[in-house]
Amino acid sequence: MNKNSISLHPFTYIVPSVGFSAFFMCALLMVQLLMLFLTGSFQSVIIFFAAVCASLCAEGIYHFLRKSFFESWIIALVQGAMAGLLLPSSYPVAGAFFVVLCTFLLGKYAFGGFSRSWINPVALCVVVAYFLNSSAFPGFLISRQDLLSRNPAHFLIQSGSVPLVHADHSVTAFLNRTVFKIFGIVIPDGYVSLFWDTGSVIPAFRFNLITLLSSILLVSLGIVEAVVPLLFVAVYLSLVHVFGPALAGGAFFQGDMLLALLTGGTLFGTLFLLQWYGTTPATRWGKAVYGIIAGIAAFFVMGAGTSPVGYAYCVLLMNLFCTMIQTLEDRQVRRRVEGVLLPRLRLLQEVENA
């Protein structure tokens, strides 16, 4: 056997590496980009590439000024892609480029780069873009009166806010005859279109089925932990179902959970924003608390669905709350070290010196 070479192959990751996770997330975001090409949404494609270029420029400037040799280009690519998908197609291209460039660059100095950042830079970028040009973002698609209906999505379909795909009626009829008949329920036309393509001017809000499949892949590979998204979705949708119409003076337990899940970027934000590196608790109990509080915050910030930037505000709010959870986690670790590990270490030293 040749023993003159050294290899790291015997060592394996117990969780996916950051590099692998970033490449895989980037690949899934490219599927969203492909769908924009296939649907002829070329203005969104231009915004996407403008955001990616701005993110890469911010990364290059930051490392050039710091004279650092470590360059996390793949992370910058992922962040730029997410920002590009969360900006509306009606946003000026030059404005999108400079908002992403300045926000990402200043965010690295103000909040720390990559895993050291306690603020999600993509969510911050969306909020800044909204403040600078709110008219480019769509408004809430449902009114207070629409919440009184048991099927507010029907109003969106009738108004043309959610365009029906050609196969919507056929697929809906098939599902009602087979799957939903078992549970004794019938879904109206339009929900298939909500899953496939909502037609929103914000690309991240459009392809919910692709985002849902992406979430299954990321969770199954261990890239995204299931605790936070599952608790978040469960709490948020439960509040929407119970209290959604009641906010407008309607009855309890009549909220449209599918509308809340499939509009406003709920799926995309839960998958790609809510658990960004450095902005999530480390312990299991911390993540559980984080997911529950995030679901409650989302209900009060995003309402019952169709919010244009509510998820970004919710993520920033949870970033602030996460610092408190991380402080409690640090104290828990310190108590364990001082109360358990240090006494055992002293005992071992006494045995060795005896």
Side-chain angles (χ1 to χ4, degrees):
M1 180 182 296
N2 183 9
K3 297 183 179 181
N4 295 325
S5 61
I6 300 176
S7 173
L8 294 178
H9 289 298
F11 299 94
T12 59
Y13 292 101
I14 59 175
V15 294
S17 66
V18 173
F20 173 80
S21 300
F23 274 110
F24 200 82
M25 291 176 66
C26 184
L28 295 177
L29 292 172
M30 291 304 109
V31 177
Q32 304 262 357
L33 177 63
L34 177 62
M35 288 299 298
L36 293 177
F37 271 109
L38 295 178
T39 55
S41 307
F42 299 117
Q43 185 63 27
S44 293
V45 173
I46 295 174
I47 295 291
F48 179 93
F49 282 112
V52 169
C53 291
S55 179
L56 294 175
C57 288
E59 188 74 15
I61 294 172
Y62 177 69
H63 289 294
F64 175 78
L65 295 177
R66 294 189 63 200
K67 300 188 184 304
S68 171
F69 294 100
F70 175 74
E71 300 175 344
S72 51
W73 299 109
I74 185 61
I75 299 297
L77 179 61
V78 171
Q79 290 179 326
M82 288 192 293
L85 291 172
L86 286 166
L87 292 176
S89 59
S90 54
Y91 211 86
V93 177
F97 179 87
F98 284 106
V99 166
V100 175
L101 175 66
C102 296
T103 305
F104 280 13
L105 187 58
L106 293 177
K108 294 177 186 297
Y109 284 98
F111 307 113
F114 187 41
S115 61
R116 300 187 304 276
S117 177
W118 57 276
I119 289 291
N120 189 302
V122 178
L124 180 63
C125 175
V126 174
V127 170
V128 170
Y130 181 77
F131 268 109
L132 294 177
N133 189 1
S134 60
S135 61
F137 286 80
F140 277 88
L141 301 180
I142 54 174
S143 65
R144 183 182 180 89
Q145 187 65 28
D146 294 337
L147 288 176
L148 299 177
S149 170
R150 295 190 61 179
N151 183 20
H154 183 64
F155 293 98
L156 298 182
I157 297 166
Q158 283 188 328
S159 64
S161 299
V162 178
L164 288 176
V165 297
H166 296 298
D168 187 287
H169 178 73
S170 300
V171 175
T172 301
F174 172 76
L175 293 175
N176 286 332
R177 289 195 310 268
T178 55
V179 179
F180 296 116
K181 183 179 180 180
I182 301 175
F183 302 98
I185 60 176
V186 176
I187 62 171
D189 292 344
Y191 284 108
V192 172
S193 298
L194 280 174
F195 264 103
W196 181 247
D197 185 359
T198 64
S200 173
V201 297
I202 302 178
F205 295 8
R206 292 181 58 176
F207 311 113
N208 286 301
L209 180 60
I210 292 176
T211 304
L212 183 62
L213 295 176
S214 299
S215 66
I216 295 174
L217 291 174
L218 290 176
V219 171
S220 63
L221 292 175
I223 297 174
V224 173
E225 290 196 43
V227 176
V228 172
L230 287 179
L231 286 175
F232 167 80
V233 170
V235 172
Y236 173 54
L237 295 187
S238 297
L239 291 174
V240 168
H241 177 63
V242 177
F243 300 106
L247 295 177
F252 292 94
F253 297 96
Q254 299 293 334
D256 193 333
M257 293 187 292
L258 282 177
L259 179 69
L261 182 66
L262 301 177
T263 60
T266 302
L267 281 177
F268 188 90
T270 305
L271 178 61
F272 291 105
L273 295 184
L274 195 58
Q275 294 194 86
W276 189 249
Y277 298 98
T279 63
T280 312
T283 61
R284 183 58 62 90
W285 69 265
K287 293 178 180 179
V289 172
Y290 182 82
I292 293 172
I293 300 298
I296 298 173
F299 176 69
F300 288 103
V301 175
M302 300 166 55
T306 75
S307 173
V309 292
Y311 207 102
Y313 281 104
C314 179
V315 170
L316 293 182
L317 179 63
M318 290 310 302
N319 289 163
L320 298 175
F321 187 81
C322 182
T323 58
M324 294 185 285
I325 299 179
Q326 290 172 336
T327 300
L328 295 176
E329 290 176 332
D330 293 340
R331 292 180 180 177
Q332 183 186 53
V333 172
R334 189 178 300 110
R335 286 196 300 266
R336 176 171 175 78
V337 171
E338 295 176 351
V340 179
L341 298 182
L342 287 181
R344 292 181 180 179
L345 181 61
R346 295 191 188 101
L347 181 61
L348 289 175
Q349 290 177 341
E350 292 174 359
V351 172
E352 291 179 355
N353 295 331

